Amino acid sequence: MPSIVVITILAAMTDPKPKPQRRATTKSSASSSKAAPKKTTQKRKSKKRTSPSRRSKTFSLAGFCKQLMLRFTKWCFVVGLILSIPFALWVWWLDHEVVASFSGQKWHVPSEVYSAPIVLKSGDPWVKKDLEVLLTQAGYRFGRNSQEVGWAARSQTKISAHLRPYKDHTGAHKSERRIFSFNNGRLIIQTVSGQSVESAILEPQLIGHLYGGNTEGREILTYEQIPQELITTLLAVEDRAFFHHFGISINGIARAVWVNFVEGERRQGGSTLTQQLIKNMYLSSERTYTRKLKEVIMAILLERRFSKEDILAAYVNEIYLAQFGSKAIHGFAAASKHFFGRPINELNIAEYALLVGMVKGPSLYNPNRNPERAKVRRDVVLSLLHEQNVLSSKLYERAKKIPLRVVDEQKSRSLFGDYLDLVSFQLSKDFDKDMLATENLKIYTGLNVRAQEAAVKAMQRQVALLEKQDRKLKGLQGAIVVTDTQNGQVKAIVGSSSSVYSGFNRALGAVRPIGSLVKPPLYMMAISTGRFTWLSSLNDERKRYKVGKDIWQPENYDKQVHGTVPMYLALAKSYNLATLDLAEKLGFDRLGEGLRQLGVERPFTMRPAVALGSLELSPFEVARIYQPIASMGQSSQLGIVAGVLNAQGDVLKEFSSKKDVPFTDAVLATTLDGMTKVSSVGTARRAQSHFPNLRFAAKTGTTNEQRDSWFVGITGDYSTTIWLGDDENKPLSITGGTGAQKVWIDLMTQLNPKSLSLNLPKGTRRVQVSLDELAIAADRCENKETLSFLVGTEPQAKTSCLWPF
């Protein structure tokens, strides 16, 4: 349509019809002159005589100039009209782009992954220092009082904290003020009024994000959620007239033009917040006048179409503030979590000033990389606030003295990176990868922040000590999986002994022979038949097995034979030959079937060597087959993600622990009780000596040529699987007892675990028996042991020492 209009105008301009009309007019004038000759003669007499040639020349020059100006004006109009059409179309297209993009504004925001809430219970083992550290890591600030949410106060004996509200898959939880005191290493929780309470809940902690191809860290805020202090600081520094201009600042542009003219190059832009937002959302960062023109027009269009509040909220969410590896940090809310470990609404004025100051140069003023430069820039922002009477002189001087308190940006990935791998692995089965990377889902896991940090420290510390003791262990690697004894939630996972995230998660990917860790499941299968008990006799003698064309003759670790031994002792001492005797009596095929029932999904061929641990599994898979035993049937799988919420807070999915265990609770409890003998009289006595009052189950494991060091420890609250080994599968100088067991001891020292309960489920009975007579024994009897039995399989006879005569 615009082209048709232009063609019509051009045709009108070049049409030859007007010329004959002018000639006709001239003839008419001539004939009129002839008709009145006298009148003309009189007029000429009254005027000054002029030569005919001059009169003709003057008239034609004036007409020519007039016609030239007329044609020039018309052509200017036509050219302007022609040029205005594409310009108008361009502006229309820009307007459409601005409206469409901003109205449907949807940033690609990665999913946020949270830990489990930390439940603090009265009576639990705690020391004041540990709770202080936990609150600090959760972003709580210590001050003179704890009346504000996110603040805590402390005295010599107590801690007061105003715990944050939160919402997860279980619902909304209100904020609460609690007083924590400590009595002989035990926690006591009270309300502000002094009333005792059973527990207090520390909100889930953000441990990381799940990214796709576009790696951005971003947390979306509405205008109402933006702290007023941040708005005031931002406008004071970047755009004082934001609520008064129409998208551009005439004074700012004039000032920029003058500076650029004086400097002889483009030094200043004079951009408003609206222009900055346009540049970040729609344009490149090139410094050209064409891009600047486009920016100005789009800024005006954006202001005409949307409110100041919408524009400011978009700016607060969009602005780029840092780069962390492949992750770009966008928006003040995400930057607050990244640099301070706290929500944006809990920052002080100095921290707001630091973030706003970084807008000018995110890399230049990054407080983790350039702390001195960042502090200077922050103080400049504070000075501007003071000059504009936003800050009083007293508050200004106080704010300048506040040091930069930023969190270590390496901590989040190195501490939780292995767990995030696990979360991503589980959710990949239920959610599309792009959805996880862009939809801002809230993912709540079973991770225990305290247990995770303790596991990382224990692994790094003990591996360093082992390498120091034996140089040949240089490069020793390891993995840890910690689960909740009852519900199977994975509380912590470590995939490397390195101090930083290695990229290879050995807890999931290191598939190694499990050694003697295979034995408790095999003994459990024997008990489940009802034909075997912990007192059943096994022959610990050498045998030869034909494997294909080869002969295999296994040995005990100590290269000795021990004759006839009770089953509980064979497990506690980890006798290989006695275990093979049991496997033969049960049948190797039955053992293979039982392992698969416990959750071994990896294909394997059942042969005699499998009964001694040639079965290859990852530490995570080992933890899974031990979970039914640890929970005594309460859970059969490992839980990673507890619930997933969308950006609006609606629950998309919940995960619950499975209880489809193919063994009865009585069988599982009897097995777990028998494993406590490993710590009291077997290969885990080192751990028992460190925790003399702790009742726990355990099993050590060592593979051929000591290539792998394993340990499983089960307490009242944690089931832990630990592996140590070399990535190149080289022989080691450590066993399960001298390697992995040390890591477990270190870990439990930090966690103060609970003892296993003495209560047994229905169908199980604990009996004190004489080992000499294999009969029920009294307390005064010597050489006795307390063992668990399935009801109906316990000894019926009584020993002679039971009677006083």
Side-chain angles (χ1 to χ4, degrees), residues 228-242:
Q228 185 58 47
E229 294 89 343
L230 174 60
I231 294 176
T232 302
T233 306
L234 180 61
L235 298 186
V237 176
E238 294 294 326
D239 192 352
R240 301 180 195 179
F242 174 74

Side-chain angles (χ1 to χ4, degrees), residues 210 422-433 436:
L210 295 184
L422 192 61
V423 172
S424 179
F425 173 76
Q426 181 184 4
L427 291 182
S428 64
K429 302 176 183 179
D430 299 286
F431 294 92
D432 180 77
K433 183 178 180 181
L436 291 173

